[in-house]
Amino acid sequence: MRGGKNKKRTDHKSESAGLLEQDENFYFIAGCTDGGFPYGITWEEYEAEQRVGSIMKERVKGGHMKELKLTKQQFQEIVDAYDMYVEGIESFLNIETGDVVTLRTFDRDEEDEELSEVIEEGFNEIYFRLPKRESDEGYTDMVDFAETVEDKKLQSTLMHILSGGKKIFRRFKDALSSDSEQLERYYQFVEEQNRKRVSDWLESIEVKLILE
């Protein structure tokens, strides 16, 4: 069993060699802690995501798309929940109402328990767990944005930061902070990418987004 998984990981590495920093434990290494320990997306998390994606694609092929009418504010709430990570908090989308509900994963009170039961009854039919923005997506956004920077000196600095080292995300933003216009453009760029990913996710669960 272990041998099969190792082979699978080897295949993945050959496909993404030179694109992502990875090792036998992490599919994507976003950076290292001050103690020198890597963090990012593990191979288990990556492979689980791939399996879910394959299942959802098959459902879309043979299923019926449900229309979900949302105001711009409702859609923004979904995008914000996707982009925000809070430990111990999970967000779910009610595809009947378009509302986002949050649930604590520990230290739950009576209200949390009641909400948990409601979500469980309608899980993957009415309530869908909202995905969270992954570290590799953030890295990809930085690379794609850096390629659009016309100031060659700034672009060179950004590309050097993205080539590796600790605290890439923080150093990247620090470099952009010298140009308020570019920093604002970066935030807008990331926001648009998040909107696209949320739209793609809705499509993957057979939901057609209609903005009112």
Side-chain angles (χ1 to χ4, degrees), residues 72-88:
K72 291 183 178 179
Q73 181 178 348
Q74 284 179 306
F75 183 56
Q76 187 61 48
E77 288 175 359
I78 298 173
V79 174
D80 290 343
Y82 164 78
D83 191 38
M84 183 180 299
Y85 173 76
V86 179
E87 186 175 1

Side-chain angles (χ1 to χ4, degrees), residues 30-96:
C32 294
T33 64
D34 292 336
F37 297 100
Y39 63 88
I41 300 173
T42 66
W43 282 102
E44 286 74 14
E45 291 170 338
Y46 170 76
E47 290 164 4
E49 184 68 24
Q50 293 299 301
R51 288 193 294 270
V52 171
S54 296
I55 293 172
M56 288 301 184
K57 285 180 182 178
E58 289 301 317
R59 289 180 59 188
V60 170
K61 287 179 181 178
H64 174 69
M65 296 289 284
K66 174 182 174 59
E67 292 186 351
L68 176 61
K69 295 182 180 180
L70 298 175
T71 63
K72 291 183 178 179
Q73 181 178 348
Q74 284 179 306
F75 183 56
Q76 187 61 48
E77 288 175 359
I78 298 173
V79 174
D80 290 343
Y82 164 78
D83 191 38
M84 183 180 299
Y85 173 76
V86 179
E87 186 175 1
I89 298 293
E90 289 189 331
S91 298
F92 297 83
L93 173 66
N94 183 324
I95 63 170
E96 298 288 343

Side-chain angles (χ1 to χ4, degrees), residues 2-20:
R2 178 178 290 275
K5 179 175 284 190
N6 286 341
K7 183 179 186 302
K8 185 176 183 181
R9 292 182 181 179
T10 300
D11 292 342
H12 284 318
K13 287 184 179 181
S14 64
E15 294 172 2
S16 55
L19 299 178
L20 300 176

